Amino acid sequence: MKGSGKGHFWSLTGFLMVASLVAGCAPAAAPPPTAAPAKQAAQSPSPIPSPQPLTPAPKASPDQPRYGGVLPISAYQDPPGWDMHQQQLLATRIVAATVYDGLMEYNPLKQDEIIPDLAERFDLSPDGLAYTFRLNKGIKFHNGSQMTSEDVRFSLERIINPPRGVRSPRRELLLSVDRIETPDPDTVRIVTKYPDASFMGGIALSHHVIYPKKVVEQKGDMKQTMDGTGPFKLERYTAGSVLEMVKHRDYFRKGRPYLDGLKFYIITDAATRFAAFRTGRVLLTSPGSGGLNPTQVGITNRELKGKAHAVEYTQLSNALVQMNVSRKPIGDVRVRKALNLLADRPALIKAYGEGSGVLSLYFAPEPWGSFEFPNAEMLQTPGYRPDKSSDVAEAKQFLAEAGFEKGLSLTMTIRTLEVDVRMSTAYKEMVKAAGIDLKLEVLDAGTFTSRKAKEDYEILQEAWGVHADDPTAWLANVLPPVISFKDGTLDNWVKQQSRLLDVAERKKLVRQIELRLLELMPTMPSWRSGKNASGVWDNVKNFGTPIGIWNCNKYTEVWLAT
């Protein structure tokens, strides 16, 4: 089966159909499947050939791409570090992603597709186990050195089997990899242990970038260094103020990028960020919590009509409360269940973003996802029932059985983000109903990340996103390696689900996983924002609508109209 023939593509649900394609048809004969329905738009996209770069048209035409200009973008906080393999925070990704490339990427103009990036094309073996990637010619790192297949192998193996002291929070997405071969400088062959429904999404994930092997070996990590093959490179960084990126003149995609550079203005206050956008100081807001809230969307579409607009999109993210089961009293499942029951989800959604969110447990709810509880069934789940009186009563009973009839004191660790503070402050009031005194420990991003990695907290609330509605991606965050909680049954089920290429069978196992998570509660499902919005001035062209917050484009195709 090939991923390189002209016009050939796999539909949005292609990876979930790999079993039938591998077992039931000749490699070269499968016709393109039809696109998935709209409600499936969050599922793992499928790869198609890389589109040919557009040829810039004369500047006189306002509808054709043109070169030049620096795009000003708002960022909501300083990045705590640059190492994309180790970092989970969006603050790092929105900047560092412009510096790097991966083997594959999510199409910046149509993000329900995966297309070749550093790879020119790829072939999939008939048994669905071996992916052979042919690299583009003449790819150079920003340091001027040539990129080869050895840099690809080194980078991916660093993610899959990280050296001592290196975190790899998304390695679960590539655990099906058996070995990586480099038969020549322009070819990478990845052999998997089993056909994996999540593999290509993991390869295309924006964090799984390719580093120069020699630089990593020299520096030890990439926390303070950015050196990639991507369309832009770092020119200047003033903490708390601005990051300036300039065009990579030796970018392997000829004619790209159109822009001369990017400027990320670091603006931590939401009102000030919106003022900067409203006045045109920035022409684009960052994704996620750095974007527009519902009120700001209304103002933008009403007052800036004809000049700017809001791009609304599904937010494939969740905010969960991680439980440190190695500490008392969180080690008692009854305490964990009480904390879950006391959460008033509709009120938390309102505290998050003016009620724009929707209920969910651990995965994307209907209509954006296909693996979560049906919405009606969710409302019957403890902790989600509309009448909170029974939830509160059960929570008090759990605490009494655990020896805390008179209440207890706990500490929740959060980041300095305004939405996290609002959410946690609201939750602090909710748990008082059962006599819990919840103290909030508010940390900057760097300290928060370090404390989380060391599991130095009682309970910790954090929002994160995924690249597609893929259970492996969700579960990598629900049960990351740093959590002390272990359960053999869950571990086995999580491994098995990615091997099930039949969608119906996979859904059944994912449901069992979710029910066991609710039973053991190592991580408490909290809230979800149904939509996010970015503010975009009308002269910013080719800014594709994102899917979630983790696949925002690298601005390779973006250009500025006069």
Side-chain angles (χ1 to χ4, degrees), residues 163-282:
R164 188 178 183 85
V166 173
R167 297 176 62 245
S168 185
R170 292 162 296 273
R171 66 188 293 266
E172 284 80 4
L173 294 171
L174 299 177
L175 285 184
S176 63
V177 174
D178 180 52
R179 63 187 183 276
I180 302 175
E181 302 169 350
T182 53
D184 60 62
D186 299 318
T187 305
V188 178
R189 187 170 184 263
I190 302 177
V191 181
T192 59
K193 303 167 191 172
Y194 48 85
D196 182 0
S198 302
F199 172 79
M200 192 60 77
I203 285 291
L205 180 63
S206 60
H207 286 89
H208 291 169
V209 297
I210 304 307
Y211 288 146
K213 177 184 176 183
K214 290 182 179 179
V215 173
V216 178
E217 291 176 337
Q218 178 186 3
K219 301 282 187 179
D221 60 42
M222 299 295 281
K223 292 180 181 179
Q224 305 300 320
T225 303
M226 283 200 286
D227 191 349
T229 59
F232 297 95
K233 54 185 180 180
L234 180 64
E235 175 77 3
R236 182 171 67 91
Y237 172 36
T238 303
S241 178
V242 66
L243 291 115
E244 296 186 42
M245 320 296 290
V246 296
K247 182 176 187 172
H248 179 200
R249 299 289 176 179
D250 288 328
Y251 191 47
F252 73 94
R253 283 190 180 145
K254 301 304 180 185
R256 295 295 185 275
Y258 293 114
L259 297 168
D260 288 335
L262 308 167
K263 271 192 179 181
F264 291 93
Y265 289 98
I266 300 164
I267 309 172
T268 57
D269 178 71
T272 306
R273 272 199 311 274
F274 183 56
F277 171 73
R278 201 172 181 179
T279 58
R281 181 190 175 204
V282 300

Side-chain angles (χ1 to χ4, degrees), residues 127 195 373:
D127 62 4
F373 275 44

Side-chain angles (χ1 to χ4, degrees), residues 497-514:
Q497 60 80 27
S498 69
R499 307 181 188 204
L500 296 176
L501 304 180
D502 180 273
V503 178
E505 290 301 312
R506 195 179 188 195
K507 284 182 179 180
K508 289 179 184 178
L509 185 53
V510 168
R511 175 57 52 83
Q512 289 180 250
I513 291 171
E514 195 159 25

Side-chain angles (χ1 to χ4, degrees), residues 463-528:
W464 42 262
V466 296
H467 56 286
D469 182 39
D470 181 271
T472 303
W474 290 116
L475 293 167
N477 290 284
V478 173
L479 293 170
V482 295
I483 287 185
S484 294
F485 173 86
K486 299 296 179 187
D487 179 73
T489 300
L490 267 178
D491 289 344
N492 289 332
W493 286 350
V494 170
K495 291 175 183 177
Q496 291 174 24
Q497 60 80 27
S498 69
R499 307 181 188 204
L500 296 176
L501 304 180
D502 180 273
V503 178
E505 290 301 312
R506 195 179 188 195
K507 284 182 179 180
K508 289 179 184 178
L509 185 53
V510 168
R511 175 57 52 83
Q512 289 180 250
I513 291 171
E514 195 159 25
L515 289 172
R516 190 158 182 86
L517 285 169
L518 291 173
E519 176 188 351
L520 302 177
M521 200 62 64
T523 306
M524 184 183 88
S526 180
W527 52 272
R528 175 186 304 282

